[in-house]
Amino acid sequence: PPAHTYLRGGYIMEHNMFCFQCEQTAGCSGCMGKAGVCGKTAATARIQDELTGALIGLARASEGKDRSPEADRLIVKGLFATLTNVSFDDSALNELLAEAGRLKHSLSPMCGSCTADCGGTEDFDMNRLWAEDEDIRSLKSLILFGMRGMAAYAYHAMVLGHEDKGVMDYFYKGLFAVGYDSYTVQDLLPIVMELGAVNLDCMALLDRANRQAFGIPAPAQVSLTVEQGPFIVISGHDLHDLKLLLEQTQGRGINIYTHGEMLPAHAYPELRKYSHLKGNFGTAWQNQQKEFSDLPAPVLFTTNCLMPPKPSYSDRVFTTALVSYPGIVHIDGRKDFSPVIQKALELGGFKEDVTIPGINGGTKVTTGFGREAVLAAAGTVAQAVRQNKLRHIFLVGGCDGARPGRNYYTDFVKQAPEDTLILTLACGKYRFNDLELGTLTGIPRLLDMGQCNDAFGAIQVAAALAEAFGCQVNDLPLTLVLSWYEQKAVCILLSLLHLGIRNIYLGPTLPAFLSPAILEYLTEQFEIHPISTPENDLAAILA
């Protein structure tokens, strides 16, 4: 049954937890047992709800007052910490919760006794949101989950010294809206669409931060072979943590291998210059419990994508920043990676070179086709289209996950005709990025543009191609075929809708938090299509 059938009449009050923010939520409805599909416990889910309620209270208390940088950063960190597969640690979440309470009280000591219609309570009770009218709940969920995704990008930019007032203004506005009881559907829809616009600014902010710190990405071929000797695997998304690790391991006889969404790091010249940044280990993030089980090396998690470590390798997992798991060694803000380095030297690595092939058997992948590299070929692309040598361009990307049916994306790319190009980004590319697809008019048919936040660059490529053809983006021979898993996919989708991009194919399932009416509105307004089969969808698109 859809989520809304569960949420009426206080049903969730009788259950341990409620969470439906990710694609793999139980039964495509909501996790309501003793633990979520992601592995977080009901107790952790409740603390995350309490933290979200406290952030809403902080946003209310800040109304009409000068905000402090401390409060701004806490809101970014607090929202990011509640994103899927980030923090499983109750004590770490409780520290953020206590800090939110302290900051709120310093701003408005009497807020708890206020009777203003903003809510005026010490903390917003998230059960009120889950039991809302289904359309109101749906729109508020879009705002909340979209902000959690955007907070990840804001956090990565923040650690590189880049912040944006407009982005922070929206966090306060969005949190206030989630906790405000008097908004109607008509009030909330513009706030939802505004999030898409603000997220574009946030992705642009992170894009500038990364490029200033690490240079302009360029195509790089990356080996999937791990050389013998001590090594460290680094996972997540935070390029700054990778640079610090590279600096601290230089000359120590330890090689570094990326994992998951760290793969695009190989494209940045300021990271690639370290000769001990060797290659990429493993396949998609959801395979880590199998691939890490016998790994003779430590793994450092810098952001989301952590799964509960199994006992067979839990002593080799380290976390940093907002990622946290009970009993796992955490590297604090001083960023002293000595414990990780010592573990690498102690374990010693493989005794001989070992190749962990991609899911299709490939032994190398290519990344780094940022907007400069793609736009350098824009003239060739336009000419190929006009000469009927290039029929269509697909952007096949987004988040990967474990739910059955995601082989759709592998099959789609395999079946795409040879006169088509495939752009990709984010971790969904692990379904097919080791395929040898050849070239078309001298251009590789498969172009990996980077991390999920590099959707900003993909949007700029689409705009440039539209200019080259003298048409609108929706008139291009371009179709977006997207997979989603967590909340960063939500804010990116809202950015695409803000830009008016239509005919998006989305899967493997549609979000459980969308009510039937809101889903109908979005599909009608923007022609969002649930994926069916690669054969049927390719036929419909190419027709």
Side-chain angles (χ1 to χ4, degrees):
H4 63 275
T5 64
Y6 284 125
L7 298 177
R8 292 198 179 107
Y11 179 89
I12 64 165
M13 301 297 289
E14 303 169 12
H15 288 74
N16 294 317
M17 66 177 287
F18 177 72
C19 183
F20 63 170
Q21 68 177 0
C22 84
E23 190 272 332
Q24 289 181 180
T25 193
C28 294
S29 298
C31 295
M32 289 177 275
K34 295 181 180 179
V37 172
C38 67
K40 70 180 175 184
T41 66
T44 302
R46 285 195 295 270
I47 298 170
Q48 289 184 349
D49 275 359
E50 290 173 11
L51 175 56
T52 303
L55 297 178
I56 291 170
L58 180 58
R60 290 169 172 172
S62 301
E63 280 286 295
K65 299 182 177 66
D66 292 332
R67 300 196 313 253
S68 69
E70 193 179 13
D72 287 356
R73 294 185 184 117
L74 178 70
I75 281 177
V76 170
K77 292 195 293 184
L79 285 168
F80 188 13
T82 57
L83 187 139
T84 303
N85 292 89
V86 174
S87 182
F88 298 81
D89 190 344
D90 295 356
S91 61
L93 291 166
N94 275 320
E95 286 180 14
L96 293 170
L97 180 60
E99 181 68 4
R102 184 187 69 78
L103 288 171
K104 180 181 177 300
H105 184 75
S106 68
L107 284 168
S108 296
M110 301 301 293
C111 189
S113 59
C114 174
T115 58
D117 65 356
C118 71
T121 57
E122 206 48 47
D123 290 312
F124 177 76
D125 181 0
M126 292 297 289
N127 283 323
R128 287 168 53 193
L129 172 59
W130 307 141
E132 278 262 28
D133 166 82
E134 62 183 16
D135 295 336
I136 296 294
R137 185 191 67 246
S138 184
L139 292 171
K140 287 186 175 182
S141 294
L142 273 169
I143 295 169
L144 176 60
F145 302 156
M147 285 193 299
R148 287 176 176 172
M150 186 166 68
Y153 300 142
Y155 177 84
H156 296 315
M158 187 172 71
V159 298
L160 292 172
H162 291 248
E163 298 180 44
D164 183 276
K165 182 179 182 299
V167 171
M168 279 311 310
D169 287 346
Y170 185 89
F171 282 130
Y172 285 86
K173 178 178 182 177
L175 284 167
F176 187 94
V178 171
Y180 190 56
D181 290 334
S182 299
Y183 278 146
T184 65
V185 166
Q186 289 69 31
D187 296 323
L188 290 168
L189 272 171
I191 302 175
V192 170
M193 299 308 296
E194 183 183 356
L195 195 158
V198 176
N199 184 59
L200 273 178
D201 294 337
C202 191
M203 289 194 295
L205 178 74
L206 179 54
D207 182 79
R208 289 194 300 273
N210 282 339
R211 285 158 178 263
Q212 287 181 21
F214 312 117
I216 305 300
Q221 190 173 89
V222 183
S223 172
L224 303 183
T225 296
V226 178
E227 298 177 10
Q228 63 177 328
F231 67 97
I232 296 169
V233 174
I234 183 167
S235 189
H237 302 70
D238 200 292
L239 301 178
H240 181 61
D241 283 335
L242 171 57
K243 187 171 191 296
L244 295 177
L245 181 64
L246 288 167
E247 291 172 348
Q248 293 179 37
T249 50
Q250 193 167 22
R252 301 291 300 274
I254 299 172
N255 291 329
I256 306 299
Y257 293 86
T258 55
H259 174 261
E261 277 278 66
M262 277 294 193
L263 170 62
H266 293 272
Y268 288 92
E270 289 301 309
L271 300 174
R272 195 162 54 188
K273 71 181 183 182
Y274 291 91
S275 60
H276 60 301
L277 177 61
K278 290 289 186 177
N280 192 72
F281 173 85
T283 55
W285 67 270
Q286 72 272 7
N287 298 327
Q288 64 190 256
Q289 291 177 328
K290 177 182 178 181
E291 294 176 347
F292 293 167
S293 61
D294 298 315
L295 192 66
V299 183
L300 174 64
F301 280 89
T302 65
T303 60
N304 57 307
C305 299
L306 171 68
M307 296 176 73
K310 291 189 175 295
S312 61
Y313 66 90
S314 61
D315 64 328
R316 288 170 269 145
V317 173
F318 296 81
T319 61
T320 192
L322 293 169
V323 192
S324 190
Y325 194 88
I328 297 299
V329 177
H330 186 77
I331 307 300
D332 63 22
R334 293 172 294 180
K335 300 295 182 181
D336 179 1
F337 294 120
S338 297
V340 190
I341 293 169
Q342 289 305 119
K343 181 62 75 172
L345 294 171
E346 172 192 323
L347 292 169
F350 292 117
K351 302 303 181 186
E352 58 185 20
D353 294 359
V354 174
T355 300
I356 311 296
I359 67 166
N360 302 288
T363 59
K364 59 187 178 183
V365 294
T366 303
T367 189
F369 287 94
R371 61 180 180 274
E372 288 86 0
V374 177
L375 289 177
T380 303
V381 169
Q383 185 178 12
V385 171
R386 294 188 182 105
Q387 294 176 347
N388 295 321
K389 295 179 180 178
L390 172 58
R391 190 180 355 171
H392 209 81
I393 303 170
F394 298 103
L395 193 156
V396 186
C399 313
D400 205 357
R403 188 188 295 279
R406 286 181 177 266
N407 59 309
Y408 166 96
Y409 298 95
T410 309
D411 295 339
F412 187 98
V413 171
K414 285 181 176 180
Q415 294 177 30
E418 292 185 0
D419 58 354
T420 63
L421 290 178
I422 311 291
L423 303 178
T424 189
L425 46 79
C427 63
K429 62 176 166 275
Y430 279 94
R431 294 278 169 173
F432 49 79
N433 67 337
D434 63 323
L435 289 170
E436 290 287 347
L437 298 183
T439 62
L440 179 63
T441 63
I443 302 169
R445 285 193 58 228
L446 179 61
L447 303 168
D448 175 12
M449 300 193 69
Q451 293 183 335
C452 52
N453 57 284
D454 291 311
F456 173 75
I459 289 167
Q460 291 185 309
V461 167
L465 287 174
E467 184 177 353
F469 281 106
C471 66
Q472 300 298 312
V473 169
N474 287 317
D475 299 321
L476 287 170
L478 169 68
T479 301
L480 278 59
V481 183
L482 306 180
S483 56
W484 82 283
Y485 174 77
E486 41 89 333
Q487 296 78 66
K488 284 181 280 185
V490 176
C491 62
I492 291 174
L493 178 63
L494 291 175
S495 290
L496 296 173
L497 300 186
H498 158 73
L499 292 169
I501 294 176
R502 307 169 73 85
N503 281 310
I504 296 171
Y505 284 72
L506 182 63
T509 63
L510 296 177
F513 53 81
L514 292 180
S515 67
I518 298 303
L519 179 59
E520 182 180 6
Y521 170 81
L522 293 175
T523 53
E524 287 185 356
Q525 288 291 313
F526 300 100
E527 298 179 53
I528 296 175
H529 307 276
I531 61 171
S532 58
T533 66
E535 296 83 359
N536 289 343
D537 291 344
L538 277 166
I541 293 165
L542 295 175

